């Protein structure tokens, strides 16, 4: 039987009335602010994100890369405020699904939930691929990392293991996450300190810090390059919203997750900019050797630098990237499973998705389904075409921009009647979320136009970029599934308003 919790916030029209949110049977209050921030940081895979993205941004923006990282952070921060405000009124683990439904109705809510799930499943394929590769880079001369069968099998094992960990309970998952977080940050810290010592000792080919790197006038001399760079930078911050998906398992669910999201996003900015500066000063943006502008290094700038910076301890940076990817694998499953749990509880998916494990107090069925879908997608794409897998991963930017911007617009519309109540409401519920949503909506369309170009990415289908086709097809699949659910006996009540939330369903 469902229990209910009441939190002050918005009503159906955005007023400051009491929002009643059904309890789903999750382990309430087990996470504190520190846990929330840690999970938000881990979800972004910061070490891997930097390694894989820094070279690409440098190729477009050169020495203005630190400024680009800051510009990419601004709309993300604005959306973090939207998440915080909506969560304070309606702390539901369905996040975008639940909030968009309250703001715009059942169809928009369903598609918002699809966007969250889609981004999670596709990025799991990417993370599994990287984890499988990096494990075998640590073995022997690293040549085993080129074996597709071996890498794919290893990646599948990682998804299965992390699915098992998440199914067994949030506390076990938190312990595993803490261990992986310590490993990646200690390794990254050693790497950064080693660079500092080498710079202090006089790096022969390094470059001195220059405030010009933060000069907007210089960067915007080429506006197209700034837009391209910001689009690349924008999505390395994705993942902090895991804090909000775990709101019902966090102390003070209406306040703590929102604070955790804003804090983790801000800490990420500090990490990205400081590490980028160190790496740029040591390796430079040159196109030779370990230079960040060298095309041979763009897939992983840390891998190219590891032996030069750390010598025989170069394997530490491989461990850091591996720990980063594994921790993100686990934390990506968490919000995806809780999103479908909420959809099951509120009738948008079959009731079995709303099942909570009696003993472990986790969304058992949803977690297993998400793990299974990720495995099937990863294996199918790996053997169908590795290039198509790569392009479908590029399309993640579309999914993220979609549900982040939807959350921002939902915040503005839900709280519309309270925006004149105070300057705080106007800024944090209105102006900032709207600007963030508008920026991300623009990012969605600009990314789509870029992906349309057949020269974009590694594949083309019918003369169109494979990333665009795979992204659009996956988003369109959500519309098809929503129509199916509209007429399915177990879920049509969600769309017609004839059925109340089903409450928590307990089981194995």
């Amino acid at each position: 039987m469902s229990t209910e919790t009441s939190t002050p916030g918005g009503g159906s029209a955005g007023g400051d009335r009491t929002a009643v949110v059904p309890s789903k049977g999750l382990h309430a209050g087990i996470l504190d602010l520190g846990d929330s921030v840690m999970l938000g940081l881990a979800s972004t895979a910061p070490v891997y994100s930097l390694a894989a993205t820094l070279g690409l941004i440098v190729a477009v923006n050169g020495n203005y890369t630190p400024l680009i990282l800051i510009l990419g952070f601004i709309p993300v921060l604005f959306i973090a405020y939207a998440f915080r405000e909506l969560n304070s009124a309606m702390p539901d683990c369905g996040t975008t699904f639940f909030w968009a439904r309250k703001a715009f109705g059942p169809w928009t809510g369903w598609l918002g939930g699809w966007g969250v799930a889609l981004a999670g499943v596709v990025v799991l394929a990417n993370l599994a691929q990287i984890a499988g590769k990096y494990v075998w880079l640590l073995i022997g001369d690293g040549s085993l990392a080129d074996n597709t069968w071996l890498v794919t099998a290893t990646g599948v094992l990682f998804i299965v293991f992390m699915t098992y960990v998440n199914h067994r309970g949030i506390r076990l998952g938190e312990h595993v996450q803490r261990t992986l977080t310590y490993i990646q940050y200690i390794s990254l810290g050693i790497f950064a300190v080693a660079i500092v010592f080498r710079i202090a000792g006089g790096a022969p080919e390094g470059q001195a810090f220059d405030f010009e790197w933060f000069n907007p006038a210089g960067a915007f001399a080429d506006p197209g390059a700034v837009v391209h760079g910001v689009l690349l930078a924008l999505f390395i911050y994705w993942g902090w919203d895991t804090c909000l998906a775990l709101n019902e398992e966090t102390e003070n669910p209406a306040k703590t997750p929102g604070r955790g999201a804003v804090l983790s996003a801000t800490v990420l900015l500090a990490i990205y900019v400081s590490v980028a500066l160190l790496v740029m000063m040591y390796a430079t943006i040159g196109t030779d050797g370990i230079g960040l502008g060298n095309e041979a290094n763009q897939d992983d700038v840390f891998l190219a630098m590891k032996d030069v910076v750390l010598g025989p301890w170069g394997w530490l940076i491989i461990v850091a990237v591996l720990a980063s990817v594994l921790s993100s694998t686990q934390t990506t499953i968490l919000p995806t499973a809780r999103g479908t749990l909420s959809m099951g509880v509120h009738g948008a998916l079959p009731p079995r998705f709303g099942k909570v494990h009696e003993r472990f107090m986790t969304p058992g069925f949803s977690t297993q389904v998400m793990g299974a879908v990720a495995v099937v997608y990863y294996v199918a794409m790996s053997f169908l075409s590795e290039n198509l897998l790569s392009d479908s991963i590029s399309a993640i930017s579309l999914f993220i921009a979609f549900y982040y911007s939807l959350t921002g617009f939902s915040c503005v519309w839900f709280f519309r009647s309270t925006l004149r109540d105070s300057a705080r409401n106007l800024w944090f519920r209105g102006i900032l979320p709207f600007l963030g949503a508008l920026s991300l909506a623009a990012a969605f369309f600009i990314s789509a136009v870029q992906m349309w170009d057949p020269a974009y990415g590694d594949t083309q289908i019918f003369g169109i970029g494979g990333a665009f086709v795979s992204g659009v097809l996956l988003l369109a699949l959500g519309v098809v599934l929503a129509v199916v659910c509209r007429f399915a006996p177990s879920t049509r009540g969600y769309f017609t308003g004839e059925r109340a939330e089903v409450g928590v369903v307990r089981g194995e």
Side-chain angles (χ1 to χ4, degrees):
M1 183 176 181
S2 173
T3 59
E4 295 181 340
T5 57
S6 298
T7 57
S12 59
D16 285 337
R17 291 174 286 187
T18 300
V20 179
V21 181
S23 170
K24 301 172 186 63
L26 298 169
H27 198 155
I30 196 170
L31 303 175
D32 58 22
L33 179 61
D35 297 327
S36 185
V37 172
M38 180 196 66
L39 290 167
L41 290 173
S43 295
T44 61
V47 180
Y48 169 64
S49 295
L50 264 180
T53 309
L54 192 56
L56 297 173
I57 298 176
V58 166
V60 178
N61 299 99
N63 280 327
Y64 293 108
T65 293
L67 174 63
I68 297 302
L69 290 172
I70 294 173
L71 293 177
F73 170 75
I74 293 172
V76 171
L77 179 63
F78 291 171
I79 293 300
Y81 287 134
F83 271 81
R84 185 187 69 180
E85 293 301 309
L86 286 165
N87 181 76
S88 68
M90 301 173 287
D92 189 284
C93 68
T95 60
T96 299
F97 152 73
F98 187 76
W99 301 330
R101 174 202 175 194
K102 290 293 184 181
F104 299 120
W107 286 93
T108 307
W110 204 102
L111 292 175
W114 172 250
V116 176
L118 193 56
V121 169
V122 175
V123 82
L124 277 173
N126 178 39
L127 295 171
Q129 179 84 352
I130 300 302
K133 175 182 176 181
Y134 271 76
V135 163
W136 296 107
L137 281 174
L138 289 169
I139 308 298
D141 62 358
S143 61
L144 290 173
D146 296 324
N147 187 313
T148 300
W149 286 91
L150 192 59
V151 168
T152 303
T154 306
V156 167
L157 287 176
F158 281 131
I159 294 178
V160 171
F161 175 69
M162 290 306 181
T163 301
Y164 171 78
V165 168
N166 287 332
H167 180 262
R168 293 282 295 184
I170 189 64
R171 181 52 71 194
L172 173 62
E174 189 270 335
H175 289 327
V176 171
Q177 194 57 241
R178 191 174 294 276
T179 300
L180 292 171
T181 300
Y182 287 156
I183 291 172
Q184 68 171 306
Y185 281 108
I186 290 173
S187 301
L188 181 63
I190 293 172
F191 181 68
V193 169
I195 292 178
V196 170
F197 275 105
R198 290 189 177 275
I199 292 174
E205 298 180 359
Q207 57 180 346
F209 172 83
D210 191 340
F211 281 107
E212 174 62 23
W213 299 348
F214 294 91
N215 180 9
F220 278 91
D222 186 351
V226 172
V227 171
H228 189 182
V230 168
L231 288 174
L232 289 170
L234 194 62
F235 301 106
I236 65 175
Y237 294 100
W238 173 59
W240 48 263
D241 47 309
T242 294
C243 303
L244 285 305
L246 298 174
N247 48 18
E248 298 184 41
E249 295 151 279
T250 306
E251 295 175 356
N252 192 357
K255 299 294 182 184
T256 301
R259 292 170 182 164
V262 173
L263 280 173
S264 59
T266 305
V267 170
L268 281 170
L269 173 67
I271 292 171
Y272 287 155
V273 173
S274 59
V275 173
L277 285 172
L278 287 175
V279 172
M280 284 174 57
M281 291 171 66
Y282 181 71
T284 78
I285 63 168
T287 56
D288 299 321
I290 64 171
L292 301 181
N294 187 339
E295 289 187 7
N297 302 336
Q298 286 182 3
D299 288 342
D300 191 334
V301 296
F302 292 168
L303 194 62
M305 297 176 60
K306 67 181 180 66
D307 294 328
V308 178
V309 175
L310 296 172
W313 293 89
W315 55 269
L316 272 176
I317 202 63
I318 296 179
V319 170
V321 174
L322 179 59
S324 177
V325 169
L326 289 178
S327 64
S328 186
T329 301
Q330 182 198 340
T331 50
T332 297
I333 297 172
L334 288 172
T336 309
R338 279 151 182 78
T340 51
L341 168 73
S342 180
M343 293 178 77
V345 168
H346 295 294
L349 288 176
R352 196 173 180 188
F353 280 90
K355 182 181 293 186
V356 175
H357 195 282
E358 184 77 32
R359 176 184 172 191
F360 303 133
M361 303 177 74
T362 59
F365 180 74
S366 287
T367 300
Q368 293 167 355
V369 168
M370 288 304 105
V373 171
V375 166
V376 171
Y377 180 81
Y378 172 47
V379 172
M381 294 298 285
S382 292
F383 292 106
L384 178 64
S385 169
E386 286 196 20
N387 289 336
L388 190 57
L389 171 63
S390 175
D391 280 349
S392 70
I393 290 167
S394 297
I396 291 173
S397 61
L398 298 179
F399 313 146
I400 299 168
F402 170 71
Y403 86 82
Y404 269 12
S405 60
L406 179 57
T407 305
F409 288 129
S410 297
C411 180
V412 176
W413 188 251
F414 182 80
F415 290 116
R416 65 192 182 279
S417 66
T418 73
L419 299 184
R420 296 183 181 181
D421 292 352
S422 67
R424 180 198 178 281
N425 281 3
L426 178 63
W427 281 99
F428 290 104
R429 294 180 173 183
I431 294 174
L432 297 183
F434 180 75
L435 290 176
L438 204 61
S439 299
L440 286 162
F444 177 94
F445 288 107
I446 293 172
S447 294
V449 170
Q450 291 177 346
M451 291 175 188
W452 178 277
D453 187 344
Y456 186 99
D458 300 315
T459 62
Q460 56 176 288
I461 302 172
F462 302 122
I464 302 172
F468 178 88
V469 174
S470 59
V472 169
L473 285 178
L474 288 172
L475 284 171
L477 178 60
V479 177
V480 173
L481 292 175
V483 172
V484 171
C485 288
R486 164 62 179 82
F487 294 101
S490 63
T491 52
R492 64 187 175 198
Y494 163 80
F495 293 92
T496 61
E498 298 172 356
R499 174 183 172 179
E501 284 76 8
V502 299
V504 60
V505 182
R506 295 190 179 274
E508 294 302 322

